[in-house]
Amino acid sequence: MSQLFEISRTLSSAPLEIGELARIITEQFASLLDAPSCTLSLIRREFNELTEETTEVMRVVGAYAEEGALTHPHEIGSVSHLWGQPILNEVLQTLDPVVFTQDDPLADPQELAYMQAHGIQTLLILPLAAKGEALGVLEVEIPDEKRRFTTSQLDLAMTVATSAAVSLENARLYEEQRETAERLKEVDTLKTQFLANMSHELRT
């Protein structure tokens, strides 16, 4: 309860800016689960001008790694396609967390290959969802031990993930409203300029 209170208070006072909010969330999760690194990715729809198709991809918006921790190819801004990641698709569809260790015989071969390539012993993937709709995932990577998370630990992590998802959705809506306001302001400026030009032309 103490951890939930502290994290909720931190999220409620965080700025409504997705990048900064994602940084805070990954730091909080790394601390909550005693993990050296954590990555936050959100679903993004991208339009391909060549194929004229819109596809869903995952874009990394936040990553935390403690000093001296193993670094992974999770650069902020990097994009990966969902069609090549069955486990991420499963998490986004079921909204259930998954945990893999390097000796897990039921783990996806692609995930195991990734873990072995980067020295990860335990990988925890948590869904981020608001109002029943998937927004993205949190990936917690532990290089030094094959850790078994208890049900209570996963329940706590999912509770915090839900709060984080609500904060991210609020930040996304805020950014959309701000962008809309800026576009309207630009349109209003163009309209004023157009009317001034027309008035000048008519007077001439």
Side-chain angles (χ1 to χ4, degrees), residues 13-113:
S13 61
L16 286 173
E17 195 277 314
I18 289 179
E20 179 63 16
L21 186 57
R23 182 191 65 79
I24 293 171
I25 291 170
T26 52
E27 284 185 359
Q28 292 292 325
F29 263 90
S31 175
L32 176 70
L33 298 173
D34 190 25
S37 64
C38 180
T39 304
L40 194 159
S41 303
L42 295 180
I43 296 174
R44 177 178 174 180
R45 290 172 178 82
E46 292 196 343
F47 179 73
N48 189 321
E49 294 182 357
L50 294 177
T51 61
E52 296 186 350
E53 293 181 350
T54 300
T55 57
E56 286 189 339
V57 299
M58 295 294 286
R59 180 175 179 269
V60 176
V61 296
Y64 168 81
E66 67 182 25
E67 190 174 348
L70 216 59
T71 56
H72 306 296
H74 289 313
E75 294 183 9
I76 294 175
S78 62
V79 172
S80 58
H81 291 273
L82 280 172
W83 52 261
Q85 303 183 70
I87 296 303
L88 282 187
N89 275 304
E90 179 185 331
V91 171
L92 292 170
Q93 289 172 8
T94 63
L95 300 183
D96 291 326
V98 295
V99 183
F100 293 127
T101 57
Q102 271 199 18
D103 59 357
D104 189 346
L106 301 178
D108 179 70
Q110 183 177 343
E111 292 294 339
L112 285 179

Side-chain angles (χ1 to χ4, degrees), residues 188-203:
D188 189 57
T189 301
L190 291 172
K191 178 183 174 183
T192 302
Q193 184 179 358
F194 171 76
L195 291 174
N197 291 340
M198 285 298 296
S199 177
H200 174 72
E201 291 296 329
L202 287 171
R203 285 199 303 274

